[in-house]
Amino acid sequence: MNKTTLLSVSPNLQEMHSCSLLGTDTHQNSLYSQLVKQYIDIVLQSGDGHETATDNQRHLLMLGQLGFGDGHEIILLWAALRAINSHASLAKQQTRVHISIFEQTPINRKLLEQKWQQQGLLHSDHPLIDLTQALLNCEIAAIKGCQRLSLHHNELVIDLYQGSPLEQTKTIATPKNNRIAHWFALPYTSQVTHSDHYFNQYLLWQYGRISLDNATFFTATLDNNGIPSAIKKQLDFCGFSQTIPATSTDNIAIAEREALRQQTRQQFAYNPIPAIQCNDDGPIAIIGGGIASASLALSLAERGKSVIIYCKDEQLGQGASGNKQGAIYPLLTPENNSLSQFFQQAFLYSRRRIQALVDDGYHIGHDWCGVLHTGFDQRSQTRLDKIIHGQTWPSEIAFSVNPKQATRLANVDIDKSGFYYPLGGWACPFEFAQASIAKAQTLTKVRVIYNSDISSLKSHSSGWQLFSGENNNSIATHSQVVIASGSQLTRYHQTKKLQITAFRGQVSHVPSQGELAQLNTVICANGYLTPQRDQLHCVGASYVKDPKHLEFCLQEQHENSLKMQQSFPNANWPNDIDVSNNDARVGERMVSRDHFPVMGCVPDVKEIFARYAVQQKSKDKPSLWQRYWQTTAAPIYEGLYVLGGLGSRGLSSGPLIAECLAANLCGELSPLSLDLQAQLNPNRMWLRKLLKGKSLM
């Protein structure tokens, strides 16, 4: 295919059978459909940008797209990808595609469903109905930021960036070795009303930063006027080829891109991204057996990485992940700040993860019954009102309800207004962990060593030496180790200074009886209450800092029985909560002061303080040291990572931060921005002070 055909729809292009995906049989749409299909066929078969496959790893092709539109191009891409992979007999002959899509105007499932119903794409006889339905089931929400969609066993991964493309791209971490090979721009993105949002020069340089040096860029049109010459010139100036394969590279533009990459690295140098261990085919070791560990193992397995998990218990999910039911919903703030945005992205990803495993046939107790959030005293109600009225929240994320609506949703008497999270619900954490490992073991070599309590770690010439047992016996050495051991996150010499705190939580199991049995949504007020599962409800949980023990506590059991009565004193159904059987479960969760989890390289705190001591003795201007901490890689323990601090929202946050760490370890595009990764970095509490010129003491 020549350059002209790819750049615009030529009226001389021979019309073939139209794919009914576009919903009309107009000549114009037929031509455009053929253009898209020809482009897809070329990029899938060209070999450009394909990472070399291994026995356990498929070829990886990185693509970029401007505009989401109706999603037609994505469905065509996925259909072509499935057709190619269906004829590949070996896993290493297959291709997985990772595509980053930038859409200025946020969309959601409801909008897509309305369009596709009108266009006939959701008709049961449509040849691509399974693809369109799968994309709808991802529950795309109209939020800003990146939503990662993993489709058909990670065959197609979509990073959908919604909101200003410039705001989204400038803090995307530059991938270490997997960058975008081909870009495709939908027709409307080059129109006058949209082109400034998608094609301004600074933005094109950002596209270039995350692209291969010989990346191609094609912009389609639906008229005979072609692409505006200004856009063509900008693409040339920023070093993008407009033919496949690229005929040449612009050394000046490549140098500009590398300078921009270096600038970004310096801007976030204080937040080291896990480095890739080249020429190392050994398994990645994970310490821990809960949600964080299992989610990481699955994300690594999807990338063909072998894993060894060291679990101190006889089975997975016996720590904080051992509850029968855990609520899953986003944490929102009145300002919709970075914490709120992170939890919206994380909650949606976790929901997709659980549903994908269930669709694959794995057993995970769950119910997307929604979550009803109400206040329980004047202070909590004031806080909730600020959240409700602080933003115009997408209805698929949350919407306010009056007492009548709340009662109808919960199916029990609720005499106060609240906030309802329609996509939320509950899931069984330990079954989620077990299903994740079971799935991972079908993809690559994932080994779980039970009753293996790692007591210490020591740096070794070959990586990290693991010790276990009372005699501190050396049991293995791994070049890369991830500590994801929940409440034991700070037991090691290298992690004991992490600024996270243990909180005890006792959840009571109460029989389903009376009006309580009618409850059909999760309630969050003073504590939480779930609908019944196997004739039991979960109510709780206590919240005790630095617990002395993890034994059953009669006082906490009694306090759990009163939580709903205190929240809804005028209702009768809370009286049906009976804790007299003393059935409960106690766990310990790790919480940070800022409520973000911790994810990334383990910081060398001793070295941070040593450098700070030098700073204190120097006579340099404070601004010089602020710049030093900003642009100098913070000290870390090479090859040692931490994943945890999930608090009471591990179901919502664990899978996404695990996916982010796996992407970093494999040199791929991360689903989280550099800003958010800095918020998650285990060194953040110290570095925030140093970056502001404040004292560490």
Side-chain angles (χ1 to χ4, degrees), residues 54 76 93 122 147 151 157 169 174 210 224 227 259 288 303 319 337 389 397 439 506 538 547 561 594 598 614 635 652:
T54 65
L76 287 173
Q93 295 175 337
L122 299 181
Q147 295 177 69
L151 298 161
V157 174
T169 55
T174 308
I210 58 177
N224 295 328
I227 308 305
R303 293 164 170 82
N337 57 17
H389 302 299
I397 294 296
K439 173 66 176 179
Q506 180 167 310
C538 288
S561 73
D594 60 7
V598 291
V614 174
S652 295

Side-chain angles (χ1 to χ4, degrees), residues 576-598:
D576 293 326
I577 296 176
D578 180 8
V579 300
S580 61
N581 57 5
N582 289 339
D583 185 4
R585 189 183 183 283
V586 181
E588 190 176 30
R589 58 264 207 209
M590 304 297 282
V591 183
S592 64
R593 289 202 308 270
D594 60 7
H595 302 291
F596 276 102
V598 291

Side-chain angles (χ1 to χ4, degrees), residues 445-550:
K445 188 176 181 180
V446 175
R447 182 184 175 198
V448 183
I449 303 178
Y450 295 102
N451 299 309
S452 182
D453 187 13
I454 306 302
S455 55
S456 63
L457 304 95
K458 184 178 179 181
S459 182
H460 187 273
S461 59
S462 300
W464 288 94
Q465 200 168 5
L466 306 186
F467 298 86
S468 179
E470 294 181 0
N471 297 324
N472 219 29
N473 298 318
S474 174
I475 61 170
T477 301
H478 298 278
S479 61
Q480 296 186 99
V481 176
V482 181
I483 302 172
S485 50
S487 62
Q488 296 190 327
L489 216 58
T490 56
R491 74 179 294 191
Y492 305 110
H493 168 73
Q494 296 83 1
T495 58
K496 66 181 181 180
K497 295 292 187 181
L498 291 179
Q499 293 172 312
I500 50 179
T501 306
F503 283 83
R504 166 194 168 97
Q506 180 167 310
V507 175
S508 303
H509 307 143
V510 301
S512 188
Q513 59 185 4
E515 293 183 39
L516 178 63
Q518 301 173 16
L519 178 67
N520 59 12
T521 190
V522 177
I523 293 180
C524 287
N526 183 16
Y528 82 104
L529 174 69
T530 66
Q532 68 86 22
R533 182 196 187 191
D534 298 331
Q535 299 302 308
L536 290 176
H537 302 261
C538 288
V539 62
S542 57
Y543 202 69
V544 181
K545 185 177 181 180
D546 293 324
K548 305 302 180 186
H549 65 85
L550 294 179

